[in-house]
């Protein structure tokens, strides 16, 4: 595993952590307020960035685990 691969996986891990934190914060928020909507947009950007960094094999593995395949 080279340095760029380690950096890619570390970035994916960081984005996963941010997504989980935002999901928790959104579940604690009361209804779809402006703050909740801003968190949802930020979470969407993190998800898009994470998916862009993932390989097709990693995406298939996650989809299989979630029962989407």
């Amino acid at each position: 595993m080279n340095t760029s691969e380690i950096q890619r996986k570390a970035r994916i891990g960081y984005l996963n952590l941010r997504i989980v934190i935002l999901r928790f914060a959104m579940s604690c928020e009361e209804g779809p307020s402006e703050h909740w909507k801003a968190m949802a947009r930020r979470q969407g950007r993190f998800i898009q960035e994470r998916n862009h960094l993932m390989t097709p094999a990693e995406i298939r593995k996650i989809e299989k685990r979630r029962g989407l395949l």
Side-chain angles (χ1 to χ4, degrees):
M1 195 178 318
N2 56 17
T3 304
S4 63
E5 182 71 15
I6 293 170
Q7 289 174 339
R8 184 184 70 80
K9 288 192 178 216
R11 181 72 179 160
I12 289 172
Y14 169 75
L15 291 169
N16 281 334
L17 179 64
R18 293 292 306 259
I19 291 166
V20 168
I21 290 170
L22 279 169
R23 186 176 300 137
F24 176 73
M26 287 169 61
S27 69
C28 294
E29 188 76 21
E30 292 277 334
S33 64
E34 289 301 316
H35 187 255
W36 186 90
K37 290 176 184 178
M39 287 191 292
R41 286 190 297 270
R42 191 176 318 131
Q43 183 185 28
R45 283 195 313 269
F46 288 148
I47 289 170
Q48 286 178 346
E49 186 177 344
R50 179 198 61 190
N51 290 346
H52 180 72
L53 291 172
M54 296 175 86
T55 63
E58 291 171 331
I59 293 170
R60 275 193 306 277
K61 182 179 173 184
I62 290 172
E63 289 174 345
K64 187 174 183 180
R65 184 177 66 217
R66 291 183 180 163
L68 300 174
L69 289 180

